[in-house]
Amino acid sequence: MEIPVYPASRPLSMQDKPLLDKLFIQLQPKISEFTFAALYLFCHAHGYRLTQAKGSVVLLGKGYDERSYFMPPLDGNVAGALDLLFAADLEMYGADEAFAAQFLTDRNVKLDEDRDSFDYLYLREDLAILPGNRFHNKKNRLNYFKNRHTYNVGFFKMQHCQACLSLLEKWYSRAENKNSQSLKFEYEATAAALTMADTLGLEGAMISVEGEIKAFALGERLNAETAVCHFEKFDPFMEGLAQLVNREFARLLFADCRYINREQDLGEAGLRTAKLSYHPVELVKKYRVKPIK
């Protein structure tokens, strides 16, 4: 499917999966947004479109605040693409430290760290084993759950889709801020991920308690040594279940990966505290970049 030349663009399509998969394999990205599934599932939320700038494939989007941006060019003449897009007074979102060092050091641009969008990177083995005293509280909660419930752990299969959708519906109905736009987009994207998991190449772990699915997590490979967990949902009234599904995703899936990227916290205080409590080995910085006139 042809990609128009900037300033023309077109919506991201399922037909773009082979091309973007190929580009991401070549790129070996660190940021969690750079998988086809992550882009496609949030296409409605961020209005993702494709364009070509100086022969480079570029994603255009918008934030929850409706600010338009482009993402780091994916191939070809990256420097030329940046010249063109910054000259058009566009802002870039999603530049990581490596990209900034390679392409932005000699440019007349302003880099702002976007802390709410930093990705949390963990050692997969830490999440799967919870070693040492650092994870004492996590292990206590796991034991609390194990001592009170009969449960089974398994891989997500499409036959489990409807049960997981029912759990998702319950999760959404119980949310305190269900009227927030970002939560609505999260709900829609998770539902689409469940129904399209095979098509999108997502893998998952799930936990059933007394025969009923009470937690699931879905993710995929991000690069050669990193998996990314895109979605994790669980019954919030079962203490210790959150810790269990987090551990089982890391234990069961992507055993050849050294790291797991668990995405950003979007500035939510509770989520930030929870993510930090698992002792990330790195916060993958992302920058917003504006041209200076």
Side-chain angles (χ1 to χ4, degrees), residues 81-125:
L82 292 175
D83 289 340
L84 175 64
L85 296 167
F86 283 139
D89 203 29
L90 288 181
E91 176 181 328
M92 180 166 62
Y93 162 77
D96 62 15
E97 290 182 292
F99 185 93
Q102 184 174 358
F103 294 108
L104 302 176
T105 51
D106 296 325
R107 289 183 175 274
N108 194 25
V109 294
K110 182 176 184 290
L111 278 71
D112 292 317
E113 290 186 358
D114 189 352
R115 175 61 181 86
D116 294 351
S117 295
F118 286 7
D119 285 336
Y120 289 75
L121 192 69
Y122 305 88
L123 288 173
R124 186 194 61 80
E125 189 170 315

Side-chain angles (χ1 to χ4, degrees), residues 60-91:
L60 307 175
K62 61 180 180 178
Y64 292 131
D65 57 4
E66 297 296 321
R67 289 163 61 188
S68 295
Y69 58 77
F70 70 94
M71 301 185 78
L74 299 179
D75 65 342
N77 184 3
V78 173
L82 292 175
D83 289 340
L84 175 64
L85 296 167
F86 283 139
D89 203 29
L90 288 181
E91 176 181 328

